Amino acid sequence: MAGLVIANWKMHGSLALIAEFSQQWRGLPQLSKVDVVLCPPAPYLGAVSEAFEGLLLGAQNCAEQVEGAFTGEVASQMLAELGCHYIIIGHSERRSLHGETDAQVAIKARLAAAEGLHPVVCVGEALEQREAGEQDEVVSEQLLGSLAHVPCDRLVVAYEPIWAIGTGHTATPGQAEAMHGLIRRRLQEHYGAAGAGIPIIYGGSVKPENAGVLFGCDNIDGALVGGASLDAKSFWQIASAASAGRA
Ligand code: PEP
């Protein structure tokens, strides 16, 4: 399987950043054996799709309805029409700041999949839960709740320990691989043999300096990158590390 590296720009960026980033990106060597996805804020999807070749487009969220009187919401069908291939769903910031539940995440993931998009379903434990040794139960429960009736053919799972997001404290390769192995087992229990082929990517302070060792782990298929994805060179270095060693 090719590596998968997804940029989550969150609520950062501007038309000027897109122009600068795309100019720098064009000057960097083309990458193979890795799918590179850019998820800008929704108003910039059009500008990003025009500015880049060879990068896939993604969104950061979608509505849990198909259409209707839902002011401010964006339907997965609209995102598909704009050329999105991926949608980040259930990011910890959506779960904590907007109270998104596992059931809502599952609805969004089903809608995204029905539109032919790849739902990138995020799970991860908080610091207190890890300190209490509860991470395996927390992540297993979140995962199964978030995948209820979600088909597996386009699914991507992102393990993002909350304590590693935007903090500069990345999980050690051992911690990340242990959790990815657990997620792999849960996916196989849930989907049978097909669970072996679902990409599981890691997110949480991934940088050019730590990407290579993380991608060297058996069950880490790529990364969801926040802060470091705002800099073209850093993001390219991470994507390049993900492509290294891929068949
Ligand atoms: C994220 O927001 O999904 C993320 C992983 O952020 P960062 O890389 O900045 O920790």
Side-chain angles (χ1 to χ4, degrees):
M1 153 191 341
L4 175 64
V5 173
I6 303 179
N8 176 14
W9 278 10
K10 312 193 185 193
M11 202 171 74
H12 295 293
S14 61
L15 293 175
L17 177 82
I18 293 165
E20 188 192 330
F21 192 109
S22 65
Q23 193 193 18
Q24 289 176 1
W25 191 265
R26 273 193 292 274
L28 293 163
Q30 280 207 345
L31 296 168
S32 59
K33 297 178 282 182
V34 59
D35 291 329
V36 183
V37 184
L38 212 57
C39 302
Y44 296 133
L45 285 167
V48 166
S49 97
E50 275 172 27
F52 291 92
E53 261 177 43
L55 290 196
L56 298 163
L57 193 62
Q60 299 176 14
N61 182 36
C62 65
E64 59 186 284
Q65 298 85 11
V66 175
E67 68 167 343
F70 302 105
T71 302
E73 294 290 341
V74 179
S76 50
Q77 183 267 332
M78 298 168 185
L79 296 167
E81 198 175 23
L82 284 176
C84 286
H85 290 86
Y86 288 79
I87 302 190
I88 300 169
I89 295 179
H91 188 280
S92 66
E93 287 151 17
R94 300 278 332 158
R95 291 177 185 266
S96 65
L97 302 173
H98 301 272
E100 270 184 24
T101 64
D102 293 341
Q104 288 172 304
V105 171
I107 291 171
K108 292 180 179 198
R110 289 203 294 271
L111 287 172
E115 293 300 334
L117 296 158
H118 294 274
V120 181
V121 172
C122 302
V123 293
E125 80 286 357
L127 183 60
E128 316 78 75
Q129 293 166 326
R130 178 158 283 266
E131 285 175 346
E134 297 166 357
Q135 67 273 8
D136 290 2
E137 292 72 30
V138 168
V139 170
S140 296
E141 194 183 318
Q142 237 181 25
L143 185 73
L144 293 185
S146 303
L147 295 183
H149 308 292
V150 176
C152 68
D153 41 347
R154 294 188 186 81
L155 179 65
V156 176
V157 173
Y159 169 56
E160 296 208 299
I162 297 170
W163 46 271
I165 297 178
T167 59
H169 300 298
T170 192
T172 64
Q175 287 171 321
E177 174 60 13
M179 186 58 80
H180 281 231
L182 174 77
I183 292 172
R184 175 71 63 217
R185 292 194 294 282
R186 295 283 172 267
L187 290 172
Q188 286 173 312
E189 286 157 15
H190 193 61
Y191 292 114
I198 297 171
I200 307 172
I201 61 175
Y202 169 80
S205 297
V206 176
K207 309 268 179 259
E209 303 78 50
N210 57 26
V213 65
L214 286 165
F215 298 146
C217 298
D218 284 350
N219 284 295
I220 300 185
D221 301 313
L224 180 52
V225 187
S229 73
L230 288 161
D231 178 76
K233 185 145 182 246
S234 296
F235 186 54
W236 182 90
Q237 286 172 326
I238 293 168
S240 167
S243 83
R246 295 263 151 194

